[in-house]
Amino acid sequence: MTRTDIIPRLVTLISSSKVILNELGNITVIEDEIILGLSPRRLYFINNVPKGTIRGHHAHKELHQLLVCINGSITIDVDDGINMKSVTLDSNKKALYIGPNIWHTMKWNDDLAYLVVLASEVYDEKDYIRNYEDFLNGKKNEDDSF
Ligand code: T46
């Protein structure tokens, strides 16, 4: 298991080296004490998305999530209000952790790309920040509190 900070403490790429291969097929395992500490309360899948579609365009106030692309390729852009980074998930051995207050978009590079997400909480529309100006203003207020 290797971990690469994309945005320190807020967005981390986790790569699994644990693949169990045999004549019956493959099992890929992504396990990590911090991610397991997420104690996911929700699992959702996104598929049947036409190539080129960009979804997301929001941040979450409290939610922690782990994203895995189990087929095809999806590019995730993350933005903490200052740093913008891009990560392509193109292997089921990779998982992207996204913490709260990270603006993110997901671009489908393949029609058959399939995104699996573990989320720390059940769905709550009130947890979404869907307006980029509101996101930046929230970040500014966060900084002012220090
Ligand atoms: C995220 C990225 C990675 C529900 O009713 N329950 C759910 O659990 C989810 C995930 C969505 N919905 C409804 C809310 C909207 O009416 O499904 C509709 C589409 O959701 P949204 O436009 O937010 O989908 P994405 O792909 O932009 O974002 C999703 C998650 O919603 C979001 O939390 O971080 O995937």
Side-chain angles (χ1 to χ4, degrees), residues 54-117:
I54 303 178
R55 302 181 61 109
H57 303 285
H58 59 249
H60 286 283
K61 296 175 188 167
E62 306 283 347
L63 197 68
H64 299 256
Q65 300 197 99
L66 190 69
L67 282 63
V68 184
C69 176
I70 60 164
N71 190 56
S73 161
I74 298 171
T75 298
I76 317 287
D77 286 350
V78 289
D79 171 1
D80 69 354
I82 298 171
N83 305 290
M84 293 181 195
K85 300 278 173 64
S86 195
V87 181
T88 295
L89 297 178
D90 53 6
S91 157
N92 58 9
K93 291 164 72 178
K94 295 182 190 172
L96 188 69
Y97 162 78
I98 302 181
N101 285 310
I102 295 290
W103 190 265
H104 54 279
T105 61
M106 306 88 74
K107 181 175 177 213
W108 255 250
N109 301 322
D110 292 299
D111 287 331
L112 294 178
Y114 203 118
L115 185 67
V116 173
V117 182

Side-chain angles (χ1 to χ4, degrees), residues 139-146:
K139 284 285 179 185
K140 187 175 171 301
N141 294 338
E142 221 177 62
D143 295 343
D144 288 349
S145 66
F146 287 109

Side-chain angles (χ1 to χ4, degrees), residues 3-145:
R3 300 165 60 89
T4 308
D5 272 346
I6 306 299
I7 299 176
R9 291 179 291 112
L10 301 176
V11 181
T12 306
L13 182 65
I14 296 146
S15 299
S16 174
S17 50
K18 189 164 171 185
V19 183
I20 299 126
L21 310 170
N22 64 26
E23 64 284 1
L24 300 178
N26 307 346
I27 295 180
T28 304
V29 182
I30 294 170
E31 57 190 347
D32 181 276
E33 69 284 1
I34 293 180
I35 296 309
L36 290 177
L38 252 180
S39 302
R41 296 188 65 204
R42 179 166 49 118
L43 170 67
Y44 62 89
F45 319 115
I46 306 179
N47 66 321
N48 202 21
V49 176
K51 177 180 176 180
T53 301
I54 303 178
R55 302 181 61 109
H57 303 285
H58 59 249
H60 286 283
K61 296 175 188 167
E62 306 283 347
L63 197 68
H64 299 256
Q65 300 197 99
L66 190 69
L67 282 63
V68 184
C69 176
I70 60 164
N71 190 56
S73 161
I74 298 171
T75 298
I76 317 287
D77 286 350
V78 289
D79 171 1
D80 69 354
I82 298 171
N83 305 290
M84 293 181 195
K85 300 278 173 64
S86 195
V87 181
T88 295
L89 297 178
D90 53 6
S91 157
N92 58 9
K93 291 164 72 178
K94 295 182 190 172
L96 188 69
Y97 162 78
I98 302 181
N101 285 310
I102 295 290
W103 190 265
H104 54 279
T105 61
M106 306 88 74
K107 181 175 177 213
W108 255 250
N109 301 322
D110 292 299
D111 287 331
L112 294 178
Y114 203 118
L115 185 67
V116 173
V117 182
L118 287 173
S120 61
E121 297 296 337
V122 297
Y123 174 73
D124 178 3
E125 185 58 37
K126 292 194 292 303
D127 188 65
Y128 286 72
I129 306 166
R130 292 195 185 268
N131 178 291
Y132 191 67
E133 291 302 314
D134 292 346
F135 166 69
L136 289 180
N137 287 335
K139 284 285 179 185
K140 187 175 171 301
N141 294 338
E142 221 177 62
D143 295 343
D144 288 349
S145 66

